Amino acid sequence: MALLREVYEALEDIVGPDNITEEPATLDSYAYQWIAELVADGSKFLTRPEAVLLPGSTEEVQAIVKTCNRYKLKFHVYSTGWGPWAAAPTEGQILLDLRRMDRIVEIDEQNMFAVVEPYVMAGQLQAEAMKVGLNNHISGAGAGTSVLANAACFQGGGPDCIYFASPQDSTLAIEWVMPTGDILRTGSLGSDLGWFCAEGPGPSAQGVIRGALAGAGGWGVITKVAVRLVHWPGPSVMPIEGTVPAYNSTLPENLFRATFPAFPSWQAFADAVYKIYDSEIGYIAHRQFIMWGDELQAAFLKVVTDPTRQLCDLKELLEMPEIQQLTEEMRRNFQLILVGMTQRDLEYQQKVLDHILSETGGWNVALVDEPAMQRYVLLYMIKLCFKNLNFTASGSFLDTYNTIASPDVWASEEMETVKELMKKYAGRIVDAGEQAMGPLSGQAGGGISGWENFVFYDPQDPDSVKASMEVSDEGDKIKAEKGRPPGGMLLGLARGTHGDEEIRAKKLSKSPEYRWQRKLKEVLDPNGVGSGNYFWGAEPSKEGKK
Amino acid sequence: MAGEKDELIKIVGAENVINDPVTLDVYSKDHSFIPPRKPRMVVKPKSAGEVQGIVKWANHTRTPLVPVSSGLPHFRGDTVPSSEGAVIVDLSGMKRIIMMDRRNRVAIVEPGVTFSKLQPELAKEGLRLSMPLLPRTSKSVLGSVLEREPIMNPRYSWSLSEPLRCLETVMGNGDIYRTGELGGASMSTSTGQVATPMPLEEVLEKRREKQETALYQYGPGQFNYHKLISAAQGTMGIVTWASLRCEILPHVHRFFLVPSERLDNIIGFAYKLLRIRFHDEFLFLNSSNLASILGEGTEQIMGLREELPPWILIFRLAGRDIMPEEKVEFLEKDIGDIAQQCGVRPESAIPGARDGQVGEAVLNPSKEPYWKLCCKGGCQDIFFLTTLNRIPEFVTTMYSLAEAFKYSQSDIGVYIQPTHLGTSCHLEFSLPFDPGDGGEVAKVQGLFTKASEELGKQGAFFSRPYGIWADMEYSRNAEHTSLLRKLKRIFDPNSVLNPGKLCF
Amino acid sequence: MALEDYRATVKRCSRCSYCKWIPFAHVKSWRFAKGCPSIEFNKFQSYSASGRFAVSLSLLEGRISYTDGLLDIVFKCMLDGSCDVSCKVCRYDLEPVEVMRQLRFKLIDDGQFPPQDIPLIDNLRKEDNMMMKSKAERGKWAEGLDVKDLTQEEAEVAFHVGCRLCYDEELWRIPRTVVTLLRNAGIDVGIMGRDENCCGGRLCDMGYRGEFIKYAENNIEAWTTAGVKTVVTACSDGYHAFKRLYPAELDSKFEVLHITELLDRLIKEGKIKFSKTVPMTVTYHDPCHLGRRGEPYVPWSGEQKKIRGQVLVYEPRKPRNNGALGIYEPPRNVLRSIPGLELVEMERNREYAWCCGAGAGVMERYPDFSSLTAGERIEEASATGAEAIVSACPWCERNFIDVINDRGERMKVYDIVDLVREAL
């Protein structure tokens, strides 16, 4: 169903003929998505948009949105487009690709914040921030994600939240083209006083833009955001060495140290997390390499740090006694990057960590103190430049049994449940053991912890695809039986975003916030042109009745 | 009228419905210049259920409600009714500390809990709450936190709402709503349109079994309701409890004072410490404010003003749990190095303030009488947000306006509080005056109004827009104003919650 | 192999967008973080490697048919391989360049080519060159040079000049210098002169695999007849053709050297000595076909298997072709050995260098896009403060010269061979 010519021409007048297309091949490139196969009957293609536009400014975005209101045309929007929530959720929508809006508007070095447009990647901002001794939060999905999308449009947490704070906390003023086409500038920006304050006057409008989650492309267009930065005591450009892909970085030893604390029991693990919270050490704190599974993480580390190695080497590596020993040693470990603001600071943090390990019976896995591994891990965790390694094993991944709670959840029996669940499907998914990756804290200063447990599957193998969904659903079922909230985030998002109105409606009927969200949507998007992605879009009639 | 009182008595009990003239007079005004207005009644609920009953009654009778959590004295005008026939909902009787959890460093309190009550109880658990500067003894913790009063420790100010986490509120339409990880499906026993919340203690028990706590403040879902009722002056909801992120009580600490003749000389040093988070409590006071804090009685205060240096940067170094002495020791050494580079000297004592005296004062709520009233009996504050580097220009403006109004510069208290990890900065001018001196009152009122306007034009951001600041901010922020009004219609459709405040 | 053989591959794209950027580890600034000129200047997702994976799958599944728009997507790419390097930082099972090559082969086989190709292919068929010139003039660059004619004599080393250097008069100094350098170093070298044919490499990248094979066969036969053991070229396009494409398609066994490799060797052996200084600050541009696409060809036949359930592996071990083994240091060694010369690096260098914009038919088919790409590289070179940009491929150099002239910029353009000559 093509757009009416009148509508197409109105849009073309705004962005220019080079920045709008209906070319089917291009439209399909916007419909092709990671995990599309889960909800599109095995196809890699979700819904094709009617057209794709590339706006170049807030003014163009506003004009597009107003045009959509005039013609009651739904629009969806994305920055990098990584994930099924990036594709148009239903037929008859246009899609805005914001890649032309890619400026770093300013970096206020003294007051430690940056203002960016949608297509500034976390890695780009970091490179500029480091030049002035600053650093920015990078979401768990890595350096190639949009700073703005992480801050205001999706989820955005990551390994550094313990020090850098969650994206919600770090977001300052926002410029938002609302679904009506009006422009809201929040906080101090709305009073024309700059970007430094997110809140006020009075109630904070940021509360409408994002919550735990955000609009995911269906809630107007965020065109600029200011984000807080933190201090970076390292070099203005991180020196990179090594042969591709085993890049690494040598950082001053008196200020930087990567550690792999590991523990004899989950209780000791949990206790150590609390002690890390209490003693306020750590710049980046994450259970990261477990993404490859407790059975494979040691071997995988050997592969990725050696440019001559490949995945076929896993077999040989796993048979080596030293790798088997390392695998055992690393089972209950995480990555803790200590960064000293001064040399004394680092020395203190190292002593504290030693003390914590001694109190909990833990140890620092010696592997990380090998110079090459130290350099690799520092680069990896600071730049998060290798995050596509999530896909390395089999080409795609899902998650199951995700759990967010206090750190004591690590010491509950849930990790055993995760292992058993994964073992049940091993073979149809990668046989890797438990793959419970997660932050030591999703909040600054410590607070909630937990994991998303990865499921590596082959997206072009129908049985593997099926198995990944089964393990995600079974995980949810087990959690429900235990009275815990559902865990399989990605499958839930894919389903919630695309089709399956019933599941969405069921969810909506149970939880009171959706009623209020829908009211917000009705009032702030009266013509319903925001794409109806995610959970905003279900009709009131599908809500459960008392 | 009698009928309405009876209806309220049915909800809260006779002893909790008050309409004697003396009491009503007390609630009709405060220390601000907001015109006084008598409420019709004062009700004192003891539970969320009673609050809900009152709000539903208010919707039915179209009665304005004015929520009040803290005891006297009040200063901002937000507790003075702006509409005729208002009923004060005095929450100070809801004063339970519902939960304290050392391991997860969180506490849950009702609105009537004050800092004076809470801090000693938390201390028994090895915890404390990050505090604003010398709150009065009757100050409600939730009142402070919900109004985004800045805490003294910028490095715990990860957002301007800290230490607020989850909360329960009665919305303007009478619905009960819970936020953060205590909200969502877990709060309800029903699958219907209106959630029937499970009793909190039951929720907490169930959650403990699942290792869940009360720290994650965002959502649930895709909007942050707790942000919509922050700095709302009670216009968007009445909070009946909230969870608060606590600090660990330090084992070792030292306070340092950096005196300076000029503010510019210590701002650079301050930025360096803020940037690397080498501090706990961290604030600037001028001699006038510090004198009022340390002094007892007008004479002593005046004397201290002369003795103390014009500007004092105050910061604390603290060590907790593991190797606390080593922590303070290395911080002291490193800060010493930085201070030397900046040409300043942190001291433990300065003329007018002996070792430990300032720390003792700022770590506790104010003594009685409230420190701001010690000098002259009355006080009006002007405060707003900006960035630390701009503070000197605002100070200059304030001083020259004071001169124009023939208000003594040395009377002006200045409090500078870096917040949000140093990215923004709260600047507060205190203008003491004798409330019995009509001339002085008029002068201060004039100065207050003029200074608010000029500072606003200069770039002050009144993010907490009390009184005249509301008109100033909302008139230059049309889209935000429009949005707030829409939100008000959603969450308080009959506009029963403190109408007349903000832009409502 | 055909596009159909990559159906499983194109379903496994992460959609992570790494293909659009240089490896994130190497990002040093906002300005020079991009890796893919195609999406940078053509903007829509379909112009990235990931986008072309989607387009390939769409074509295979019959979701789309041939349109002008599709041709634009497929052919507006230099096959420079930046996407390949970045993708393979994490992915061990995807082949972006190979998929895009196969996509082109399919279109050309199906008779789908940009109309701009018609005069080019016509001329090629008649005159055996990619420069729209006559075969008769191919040997003019060598007039007056004393060098073996391989059509008449044998020699150990064949210096294959290439279409660009044979016909671009402004660049004739380069092959003439090469001949002089090699002869003075005692190398037994000959040229085909007028009878030299196109290497076919560019043609192959453009999608004309069948035509390419004809030229390859022809060249191999000519060298065999002339007793050649080693083929030397100063053109990176040619280097890539001889080093990778000839062995892959035709099992060619000649030693292949780029002139920079040979010069590096000769300098180390003392057979080339410098007596003058060249006081200049230069920056070196890595040609794609010498660098990341210039890795040694290692034949492989094996299979993809799964271990540990679903981990995709190759048995036997498959060459990664991820840019690790490209020719990066020999040209730099040569430059560093020139007295007085200061070498400064651009932010994007070696396996993650930004393309010059000339490759895979883009210069011929889409001159504006080609020029924009070159212009971006010149901006990057200027940002180093260097007076000159030096490269090791005449296609790169021509593109840089043209864009510098168009924009009135002052940067000079040299081939490495020029600077060697200056220092002798």
Side-chain angles (χ1 to χ4, degrees):
Chain A
M1 184 183 73
L3 287 179
L4 293 174
R5 290 306 86 193
E6 180 190 334
V7 177
Y8 187 91
E9 280 156 19
L11 295 170
E12 190 182 52
D13 281 344
I14 298 167
V15 295
D18 288 345
N19 296 312
I20 180 171
T21 186
E22 290 175 308
E23 173 62 45
T26 295
L27 299 183
D28 260 2
S29 72
Y30 285 92
Y32 178 109
Q33 263 303 347
W34 166 44
I35 63 179
E37 62 274 10
L38 306 180
V39 294
D41 291 324
S43 170
K44 289 300 295 182
F45 297 99
L46 295 165
T47 311
R48 257 190 209 177
E50 296 304 318
V52 177
L53 283 74
L54 300 162
S57 66
T58 301
E59 292 67 36
E60 286 188 6
V61 169
Q62 183 179 38
I64 292 166
V65 173
K66 286 189 167 169
T67 303
C68 288
N69 273 273
R70 188 161 64 233
Y71 291 103
K72 306 282 193 289
L73 172 64
K74 281 192 191 303
F75 70 92
H76 191 63
V77 57
Y78 82 47
S79 303
T80 60
W82 193 6
W85 42 85
T90 56
E91 305 269 342
Q93 300 198 15
I94 60 169
L95 194 142
L96 310 190
D97 175 344
L98 299 178
R99 71 177 350 263
R100 289 178 60 214
M101 297 171 69
D102 66 349
R103 292 181 307 137
I104 297 174
V105 176
E106 81 174 87
I107 295 180
D108 183 331
E109 191 245 318
Q110 192 171 38
N111 295 300
M112 298 171 53
F113 65 85
V115 183
V116 297
E117 290 186 332
Y119 203 70
V120 172
M121 298 301 107
Q124 284 180 294
L125 177 59
Q126 186 183 54
E128 294 299 326
M130 282 183 173
K131 289 177 187 172
V132 292
L134 294 170
N135 198 356
N136 54 287
H137 162 68
I138 301 183
S139 95
T145 56
S146 157
V147 173
L148 182 146
N150 289 331
C153 305
F154 193 53
Q155 297 184 46
D160 58 35
C161 287
I162 194 169
Y163 187 84
F164 289 53
S166 64
Q168 294 96 327
D169 285 343
S170 303
T171 301
L172 303 171
I174 295 172
E175 178 182 87
W176 179 33
V177 178
M178 301 170 74
T180 51
D182 299 313
I183 299 180
L184 177 73
R185 295 177 173 94
T186 67
S188 52
L189 187 68
S191 301
D192 212 16
L193 296 173
W195 297 86
F196 67 92
C197 180
E199 326 282 2
S204 176
Q206 206 205 71
V208 164
I209 295 173
R210 77 160 293 165
L213 309 162
W219 194 221
V221 186
I222 311 282
T223 47
K224 291 187 187 68
V225 77
V227 293
R228 261 194 29 84
L229 304 171
V230 305
H231 184 60
W232 166 250
S236 58
V237 178
M238 274 178 69
I240 309 298
E241 293 139 359
T243 302
V244 63
Y247 297 128
N248 59 78
S249 184
T250 303
L251 292 173
E253 278 179 14
N254 63 338
L255 294 179
F256 293 88
R257 185 164 173 233
T259 66
F260 282 10
F263 302 90
S265 68
W266 286 116
Q267 186 62 57
F269 183 109
D271 289 343
V273 173
Y274 277 112
K275 287 177 192 291
I276 285 167
Y277 284 2
D278 287 355
S279 57
E280 299 182 311
I281 63 170
Y283 193 73
I284 296 169
H286 205 247
R287 199 177 185 231
Q288 171 74 207
F289 298 123
I290 195 68
M291 75 169 151
W292 293 314
D294 67 336
E295 297 294 336
L296 300 183
Q297 63 175 326
F300 250 102
L301 271 173
K302 290 292 186 181
V303 170
V304 298
T305 52
D306 183 340
T308 64
R309 285 206 179 271
Q310 299 184 30
L311 299 187
C312 56
D313 296 324
L314 285 172
K315 262 197 334 198
E316 171 206 339
L317 287 164
L318 289 167
E319 281 161 14
M320 293 180 181
E322 59 266 36
I323 298 297
Q324 289 170 0
Q325 196 178 342
L326 191 57
T327 298
E328 283 312 308
E329 203 191 333
M330 286 181 73
R331 277 204 200 281
R332 286 167 290 271
N333 93 108
F334 51 77
Q335 284 64 59
L336 181 65
I337 308 300
L338 303 179
V339 173
M341 296 298 137
T342 61
Q343 182 169 325
R344 291 186 186 108
D345 184 13
L346 180 66
E347 285 166 4
Y348 170 76
Q349 292 190 51
Q350 289 183 133
K351 279 194 207 148
V352 168
L353 178 61
D354 289 341
H355 186 97
I356 291 171
L357 292 175
S358 152
E359 278 192 338
T360 55
W363 59 90
N364 185 32
V365 178
L367 171 71
V368 74
D369 283 333
E370 288 170 20
M373 187 59 68
Q374 179 75 198
R375 292 194 300 266
Y376 176 80
V377 174
L378 282 175
L379 171 63
Y380 184 120
M381 298 302 294
I382 290 170
K383 283 206 173 200
L384 273 192
C385 48
F386 300 122
K387 276 313 301 185
N388 201 3
L389 285 168
N390 256 85
F391 292 83
T392 301
S394 60
S396 193
F397 73 93
L398 255 198
D399 54 14
T400 186
Y401 221 91
N402 299 355
T403 299
I404 300 292
S406 74
D408 273 327
V409 77
W410 292 101
S412 66
E413 281 157 14
E414 296 300 273
M415 291 306 295
E416 271 72 44
T417 308
V418 167
K419 267 200 96 102
E420 277 167 31
L421 179 63
M422 295 298 287
K423 213 194 246 175
K424 190 171 161 191
Y425 290 85
R428 297 172 69 204
I429 59 175
V430 171
D431 178 14
E434 56 94 352
Q435 296 175 248
M437 185 187 89
L440 258 61
S441 176
Q443 303 176 286
I448 51 163
S449 184
W451 61 81
E452 51 181 322
N453 187 78
F454 291 125
V455 175
F456 288 163
Y457 72 96
D458 179 358
Q460 77 82 43
D461 178 335
D463 184 65
S464 192
V465 170
K466 191 154 169 276
S468 73
M469 295 169 70
E470 285 171 19
V471 72
S472 183
D473 286 338
E474 185 168 343
D476 281 357
K477 188 157 160 281
I478 297 172
K479 289 198 92 193
E481 283 159 9
K482 293 183 177 191
R484 288 186 182 267
M489 178 190 75
L490 289 168
L491 183 55
L493 285 174
R495 282 177 178 150
T497 306
H498 294 273
D500 217 319
E501 286 285 333
E502 275 216 39
I503 290 188
R504 203 194 297 179
K506 256 194 219 159
K507 185 149 192 166
L508 284 159
S509 70
K510 276 202 182 128
S511 225
E513 66 271 16
Y514 296 114
R515 177 170 154 244
W516 296 105
Q517 271 177 210
R518 206 160 34 256
K519 281 196 182 132
L520 286 169
K521 181 95 168 27
E522 280 162 14
V523 169
L524 300 181
D525 183 11
N527 289 318
V529 296
S531 62
N533 193 4
Y534 227 176
F535 303 111
W536 293 100
E539 300 301 316
S541 60
K542 292 207 172 117
E543 190 181 9
K545 300 283 183 219
K546 200 168 185 175
Chain B
M1 169 72 162
E4 285 180 345
K5 185 175 174 181
D6 289 338
E7 284 166 21
L8 287 171
I9 286 171
K10 277 190 198 148
I11 299 168
V12 298
E15 70 279 13
N16 294 314
V17 182
I18 304 146
N19 63 349
D20 69 272
V22 171
T23 304
L24 296 183
D25 189 61
V26 168
Y27 286 92
S28 70
K29 56 186 183 291
D30 69 3
H31 280 255
S32 74
F33 298 122
I34 299 290
R37 180 173 270 137
K38 269 209 181 97
R40 201 203 307 176
M41 269 179 283
V42 176
V43 292
K44 296 193 169 188
K46 294 286 193 296
S47 71
E50 290 183 4
V51 173
Q52 189 177 30
I54 293 165
V55 173
K56 285 183 173 173
W57 170 86
N59 272 270
H60 182 65
T61 58
R62 296 291 197 268
T63 304
L65 299 176
V66 179
V68 175
S69 307
S70 304
L72 296 171
H74 298 124
F75 291 90
R76 309 278 177 246
D78 52 329
T79 56
V80 176
S82 294
S83 301
E84 280 304 315
V87 169
I88 304 287
V89 182
D90 186 332
L91 302 157
S92 58
M94 290 175 65
K95 48 190 179 181
R96 288 187 306 147
I97 298 172
I98 298 170
M99 174 267 261
M100 289 182 291
D101 178 352
R102 162 64 181 91
R103 186 156 166 93
N104 288 297
R105 304 168 307 170
V106 63
I108 301 180
V109 304
E110 287 187 330
V113 173
T114 61
F115 287 100
S116 307
K117 174 158 182 215
L118 182 59
Q119 296 289 47
E121 294 302 314
L122 287 175
K124 293 175 194 167
E125 305 292 321
L127 295 170
R128 75 182 283 273
L129 194 68
S130 308
M131 256 195 353
L133 175 66
L134 270 77
R136 61 188 189 275
T137 46
S138 60
K139 182 72 188 181
S140 152
V141 171
L142 292 197
S144 169
V145 156
L146 283 166
E147 285 298 305
R148 298 203 298 260
E149 249 189 327
I151 55 176
M152 285 188 290
N153 189 340
R155 73 180 184 87
Y156 286 156
S157 171
W158 296 297
S159 77
L160 296 182
S161 318
E162 285 292 316
L164 176 70
R165 296 298 169 101
C166 312
L167 54 82
E168 177 183 83
T169 184
V170 177
M171 291 178 164
N173 69 340
D175 275 12
I176 288 189
Y177 191 78
R178 292 180 184 163
T179 67
E181 62 174 308
L182 291 178
S186 67
M187 72 170 265
S188 172
T189 55
S190 117
T191 56
Q193 282 208 16
V194 177
T196 306
M198 245 193 284
L200 177 63
E201 283 77 2
E202 204 180 310
V203 169
L204 292 174
E205 183 55 44
K206 282 185 159 43
R207 290 174 62 79
R208 245 189 301 274
E209 289 162 15
K210 292 180 284 179
Q211 302 84 37
E212 289 168 343
T213 179
L215 281 171
Y216 186 74
Q217 70 273 54
Y218 290 105
Q222 289 153 285
F223 74 109
N224 281 326
Y225 178 73
H226 77 282
K227 284 196 180 275
L228 303 181
I229 60 171
S230 75
Q233 299 173 35
T235 59
M236 296 292 245
I238 300 179
V239 173
T240 48
W241 54 255
S243 68
L244 305 164
R245 193 266 187 192
C246 301
E247 304 173 20
I248 296 170
L249 202 57
H251 287 59
V252 170
H253 73 177
R254 291 200 64 189
F255 264 88
F256 291 91
L257 311 171
V258 184
S260 183
E261 292 299 311
R262 290 174 53 85
L263 198 45
D264 324 58
N265 294 352
I266 42 178
I267 283 181
F269 173 66
Y271 265 119
K272 285 188 187 293
L273 262 58
L274 285 166
R275 185 160 170 133
I276 57 178
R277 306 187 197 174
F278 275 16
H279 59 80
D280 266 48
E281 277 70 13
F282 192 95
L283 61 152
F284 301 71
L285 294 173
N286 73 343
S287 51
S288 175
N289 258 355
L290 189 52
S292 294
I293 289 170
L294 299 179
E296 291 183 12
T298 309
E299 202 184 318
Q300 197 179 60
I301 291 170
M302 295 302 175
L304 278 173
R305 278 188 195 173
E306 299 303 312
E307 234 189 306
L308 288 164
W311 297 100
I312 309 100
L313 168 60
I314 302 163
F315 65 90
R316 173 160 80 140
L317 303 180
R320 296 168 166 88
D321 269 18
I322 300 175
M323 297 194 280
E325 294 88 358
E326 285 90 334
K327 172 128 191 201
V328 172
E329 194 187 314
F330 97 76
L331 285 174
E332 216 179 306
K333 284 189 180 140
D334 277 332
I335 290 170
D337 293 342
I338 296 167
Q340 199 168 39
Q341 288 162 22
C342 294
V344 301
R345 284 186 59 144
E347 310 275 8
S348 47
I350 55 174
R354 58 177 192 283
D355 189 358
Q357 192 183 10
V358 173
E360 160 89 26
V362 305
L363 286 181
N364 290 293
S366 171
K367 295 193 201 129
E368 290 297 320
Y370 180 51
W371 68 277
K372 288 192 179 180
L373 304 179
C374 285
C375 185
K376 292 192 174 183
C379 186
Q380 183 65 45
D381 296 328
I382 303 175
F383 54 81
F384 50 87
L385 289 180
T386 180
T387 50
L388 180 57
N389 52 328
R390 292 200 63 191
I391 299 290
E393 63 184 86
F394 289 116
V395 170
T396 302
T397 299
M398 188 71 222
Y399 283 172
S400 27
L401 285 168
E403 198 179 317
F405 274 79
K406 297 187 175 30
Y407 182 88
S408 171
Q409 190 178 301
S410 62
D411 274 349
I412 301 176
V414 184
Y415 164 39
I416 300 163
Q417 181 59 68
T419 185
H420 206 185
L421 292 145
T423 289
S424 52
C425 192
H426 168 95
L427 174 57
E428 183 168 319
F429 298 110
S430 296
L431 308 173
F433 62 92
D434 177 358
D437 180 340
E440 197 172 49
V441 170
K443 187 198 301 186
V444 169
Q445 188 167 10
L447 175 57
F448 171 81
T449 304
K450 183 68 177 168
S452 297
E453 283 164 10
E454 292 304 311
L455 293 166
K457 282 185 211 155
Q458 196 177 1
F461 178 49
F462 292 100
S463 79
R464 297 158 59 202
Y466 299 102
I468 63 170
W469 304 332
D471 283 340
M472 282 170 50
E473 279 301 337
Y474 293 119
S475 64
R476 62 179 174 184
N477 203 331
E479 233 14 275
H480 182 79
T481 305
S482 165
L483 175 67
L484 287 188
R485 288 176 180 156
K486 287 176 185 159
L487 295 175
K488 177 78 163 162
R489 284 197 287 276
I490 292 173
F491 296 110
D492 182 18
N494 292 319
S495 198
V496 299
L497 296 179
N498 219 355
K501 298 292 186 283
L502 300 180
C503 53
F504 305 134
Chain C
M1 296 291 268
L3 186 65
E4 175 59 49
D5 299 312
Y6 290 92
R7 188 186 280 256
T9 300
V10 298
K11 284 185 172 182
R12 292 195 181 113
C13 175
S14 322
R15 192 52 186 84
C16 64
S17 293
Y18 276 38
C19 50
K20 298 168 181 150
W21 304 87
I22 63 173
F24 284 107
H26 276 291
V27 169
K28 302 173 188 69
S29 71
W30 169 85
R31 178 65 183 81
F32 297 120
K34 308 273 175 67
C36 173
S38 188
I39 191 166
E40 178 63 8
F41 296 114
N42 299 288
K43 297 170 286 189
F44 292 103
Q45 164 67 7
S46 45
Y47 287 86
S48 64
S50 166
R52 293 194 185 94
F53 270 41
V55 166
S56 298
L57 185 62
S58 188
L59 199 57
L60 287 170
E61 291 185 351
R63 289 172 59 98
I64 53 175
S65 50
Y66 291 124
T67 60
D68 289 345
L70 176 58
L71 266 63
D72 201 73
I73 290 165
V74 171
F75 293 116
K76 248 183 191 160
C77 163
M78 279 73 71
L79 292 184
D80 54 277
S82 168
C83 54
D84 209 77
V85 168
S86 292
C87 179
K88 288 173 178 175
V89 168
C90 297
R91 293 298 298 265
Y92 289 72
D93 64 314
L94 298 182
E95 298 288 347
V97 164
E98 193 52 34
V99 166
M100 293 193 289
R101 267 177 23 107
Q102 295 298 336
L103 182 56
R104 291 179 177 212
F105 293 156
K106 177 172 171 57
L107 261 66
I108 298 293
D109 285 349
D110 289 348
Q112 300 293 323
F113 51 86
Q116 308 86 298
D117 285 3
I118 296 172
L120 189 74
I121 301 297
D122 274 349
N123 185 77
L124 177 77
R125 285 179 179 147
K126 292 185 200 133
E127 308 290 343
D128 294 328
N129 71 78
M130 294 291 291
M131 298 290 290
M132 299 294 288
K133 298 278 176 110
S134 102
K135 192 176 174 76
E137 294 167 17
R138 190 164 184 123
K140 280 188 89 168
W141 69 272
E143 275 174 6
L145 268 185
D146 176 21
V147 62
K148 278 186 182 177
D149 176 353
L150 289 175
T151 63
Q152 308 293 322
E153 309 171 66
E154 290 196 355
E156 287 238 343
V157 175
F159 173 41
H160 184 95
V161 183
C163 300
R164 171 55 61 180
L165 284 173
C166 281
Y167 289 103
D168 191 332
E169 193 170 335
E170 199 182 330
L171 301 179
W172 280 352
R173 64 183 194 275
I174 297 169
R176 291 178 72 86
T177 303
V178 168
V179 168
T180 308
L181 283 172
L182 295 185
R183 293 213 56 211
N184 289 348
I187 305 286
D188 177 25
V189 59
I191 61 173
M192 291 292 181
R194 184 197 173 283
D195 291 310
E196 183 187 272
N197 287 323
C198 179
C199 67
R202 179 167 286 264
L203 208 52
C204 192
D205 274 356
M206 287 168 74
Y208 294 92
R209 183 169 169 268
E211 299 284 344
F212 154 74
I213 288 182
K214 286 189 219 158
Y215 281 95
E217 283 171 343
N218 196 282
N219 284 323
I220 289 171
E221 193 190 322
W223 295 331
T224 307
T225 306
V228 167
K229 301 280 184 295
T230 300
V231 178
V232 171
T233 178
C235 173
S236 297
D237 243 3
Y239 178 78
H240 168 261
F242 306 142
K243 185 98 184 235
R244 291 195 62 79
L245 300 181
Y246 282 28
E249 297 283 1
L250 297 157
D251 199 27
S252 151
K253 297 253 190 301
F254 299 94
E255 182 191 24
V256 177
L257 291 174
H258 189 270
I259 187 58
T260 53
E261 293 181 276
L262 188 48
L263 289 173
D264 184 30
R265 198 191 287 177
L266 292 172
I267 291 167
K268 284 177 175 142
E269 290 171 359
K271 292 182 179 160
I272 290 181
K273 288 194 195 331
F274 298 120
S275 61
K276 293 194 201 134
T277 63
V278 184
M280 198 174 4
T281 305
V282 304
T283 189
Y284 173 67
H285 165 78
D286 293 276
C288 304
H289 289 81
L290 178 62
R292 54 181 169 249
R293 291 199 66 197
E295 295 182 289
Y297 173 74
V298 177
W300 181 79
S301 64
E303 50 181 351
Q304 191 183 62
K305 281 181 159 180
K306 287 185 177 180
I307 60 172
R308 302 294 300 205
Q310 298 290 328
V311 178
L312 301 160
V313 300
Y314 297 97
E315 280 183 14
R317 171 189 296 276
K318 189 176 172 211
R320 288 211 69 206
N321 298 321
N322 63 346
L325 304 174
I327 307 301
Y328 307 114
E329 296 315 312
R332 286 173 168 83
N333 292 340
V334 172
L335 290 170
R336 283 190 205 110
S337 66
I338 294 174
L341 199 71
E342 190 193 340
L343 173 63
V344 294
E345 295 283 1
M346 287 182 272
E347 282 191 24
R348 296 173 292 193
N349 60 77
R350 294 180 173 80
E351 73 272 12
Y352 57 99
W354 179 264
C355 179
C356 75
V362 168
M363 193 190 226
E364 294 84 350
R365 287 164 165 163
Y366 309 108
D368 289 345
F369 168 42
S370 180
S371 185
L372 282 171
T373 304
E376 163 73 4
R377 192 56 161 166
I378 294 304
E379 279 190 44
E380 189 177 0
S382 301
T384 65
E387 301 158 63
I389 183 167
V390 187
S391 193
C393 176
W395 294 95
C396 302
E397 286 143 19
R398 170 46 58 198
N399 231 19
F400 292 149
I401 291 166
D402 285 349
V403 84
I404 285 167
N405 288 341
D406 286 345
R407 296 184 185 190
E409 304 226 10
R410 291 159 58 140
M411 177 152 289
K412 301 192 192 67
V413 180
Y414 295 112
D415 189 280
I416 285 189
V417 154
D418 289 326
L419 298 178
V420 168
R421 184 187 65 244
E422 290 293 314
L424 288 174

